[in-house]
Amino acid sequence: MLFTAKRLTTVTLAAVLIISLGACSNWSKRDRNTAIGAGAGAIGGSILTNGSGLGTLGGAAVGGIIGHQVHQQ
């Protein structure tokens, strides 16, 4: 698999986001779900739009909303 600079940057940022979530142990479950949803959405949006910034941002927004709503009762 060939890594371009853009793809390598995206993968690196995703890894940093996932690792940094471990530092947020005092967050509520809803906060964690929101952050995880935003991270997953950003990765998905980036992949689906071939690294488009707007696609990544849109994916993060949608993922964050879904992650936030998952915990509502």
Side-chain angles (χ1 to χ4, degrees), residues 19-29 31-32:
I19 291 169
S20 67
L21 286 175
C24 305
S25 61
N26 61 341
W27 284 10
S28 70
K29 185 170 179 141
D31 291 341
R32 282 192 300 266

Side-chain angles (χ1 to χ4, degrees), residues 5-66:
K6 188 180 239 183
R7 184 166 299 264
L8 184 60
T9 301
T10 302
V11 170
T12 302
L13 288 174
V16 168
L17 175 68
I18 290 169
I19 291 169
S20 67
L21 286 175
C24 305
S25 61
N26 61 341
W27 284 10
S28 70
K29 185 170 179 141
R30 175 174 283 158
D31 291 341
R32 282 192 300 266
N33 287 344
T34 302
I36 291 168
I43 293 168
S46 177
I47 291 170
L48 290 174
T49 61
N50 293 322
S52 162
L54 187 59
T56 303
L57 183 61
V62 171
I65 291 169
I66 292 171

